[in-house]
Amino acid sequence: MSLAQLIRERRSIRRFNRQPVAQELVVELLQRAVRLYGADEEPRWRCIYAGTEEARRRLADSMIAKTRQSRLVKLIPNKMVESFIQKFADIPASLIVVADADPDRRRQEENYASACGTLQLLQLLGWERGLGMAWDTERLIQNELFFENVGIGASEQFVGIMHMGYFDKTPRGRGRTPAEKKWTVFRADAR
Ligand SMILES: Cc1cc2nc3c(=O)[nH]c(=O)nc-3n(C[C@H](O)[C@H](O)[C@H](O)COP(=O)(O)O)c2cc1C
């Protein structure tokens, strides 16, 4: 598959089958993604990996811990909450990525950008191997309780959770914004 085709055809996958994902494969793909990103320095971001059923359940629990505290959610039947947790616990593997925070804004942005760039490459490299991924940054999970439960420190910035697994169906792609819509020609005459 050509690189152009790979980029065009990769889709976010949100529905996974039960085939297990080998942690070794994730590590191998990450190492390749880091090399491809090609930063001069050591990555200033790190990963927290949830691969076992128990770990994914704990992760799913942490993802809704804050929401659970809300009075409204307390009215939702336990069964429904449980099936929501199970949906996430059934995802074969989840990789939490956190970047080093830095008092220097430019450095902080570099850390975040390099984590994001590497994650995009990881998605492409995974796609080549039939491994689908969905990048999760839902507002619902981004709170202090979640960060504390999964071990994200005060000097770290949450980048996202990459949910991954094999899949049976490829979803249809969404429309893309034509490049011309985001293109301004800078002219000599300021008009
Ligand atoms: C920084 C970033 C954050 C994202 N966060 C979410 C998210 O929270 N939930 C989600 O369903 N998809 C998320 N996505 C995936 C995009 O929504 C997805 O790329 C978009 O739907 C286009 O689909 P495609 O990847 O199949 O082309 C995120 C993607 C990026 C790059």
Side-chain angles (χ1 to χ4, degrees):
M1 193 187 295
S2 75
L3 181 59
Q5 191 185 2
L6 178 62
I7 291 170
R8 212 170 33 241
E9 292 183 1
R10 183 207 56 82
R11 294 272 76 82
S12 289
I13 299 295
R14 298 180 177 87
R15 206 176 274 251
F16 305 101
N17 63 30
R18 292 298 186 102
Q19 190 181 334
V21 173
Q23 181 172 307
E24 295 73 21
L25 173 66
V26 179
V27 172
E28 179 203 322
L29 294 174
L30 253 177
Q31 283 171 342
R32 286 182 57 205
V34 168
R35 276 201 300 275
L36 264 177
Y37 186 78
D40 294 338
E41 301 175 40
E42 283 262 300
R44 291 194 296 267
W45 49 269
R46 70 180 180 102
C47 301
I48 302 162
Y49 183 71
T52 64
E53 165 96 41
E54 296 73 23
R56 292 190 317 257
R57 252 202 97 74
R58 192 180 146 211
L59 174 63
D61 253 329
S62 304
M63 286 166 75
I64 66 150
K66 178 76 183 173
T67 312
R68 242 190 182 149
Q69 290 177 343
S70 100
R71 261 199 249 147
L72 228 62
V73 170
K74 285 193 176 125
L75 301 174
I76 297 176
N78 236 350
K79 249 186 164 175
M80 268 177 80
V81 178
E82 183 54 37
S83 82
F84 185 81
I85 292 178
Q86 196 57 47
K87 194 182 122 213
F88 280 104
D90 283 343
I91 295 173
S94 296
L95 186 76
I96 305 168
V97 176
V98 284
D100 293 354
D102 198 296
D104 180 74
R105 186 174 156 199
R106 179 168 172 213
R107 213 167 154 84
Q108 162 105 32
E109 285 176 352
E110 272 174 14
N111 297 353
Y112 178 72
S114 69
C116 287
T118 310
L119 278 185
Q120 183 62 16
L121 291 169
L122 177 73
Q123 290 197 95
L124 290 169
L125 293 168
W127 191 259
E128 270 191 323
R129 307 280 277 266
L131 189 63
M133 303 192 195
W135 191 327
D136 186 353
T137 53
E138 297 296 338
R139 213 179 275 271
L140 188 89
I141 60 172
Q142 295 210 42
N143 58 74
E144 291 312 315
L145 194 54
F146 170 72
F147 296 158
E148 192 187 319
N149 282 344
V150 296
I152 299 176
S155 60
E156 292 183 307
Q157 178 183 13
F158 174 74
V159 177
I161 307 179
M162 198 58 94
H163 299 298
M164 42 182 104
Y166 297 95
F167 54 97
D168 301 318
K169 253 177 116 176
T170 307
R172 293 232 320 257
R174 293 185 189 178
R176 292 290 196 241
T177 307
E180 305 78 56
K181 271 191 125 178
K182 299 282 177 185
W183 186 261
T184 306
V185 175
F186 189 70
R187 297 181 198 283
D189 60 4
R191 265 189 294 139

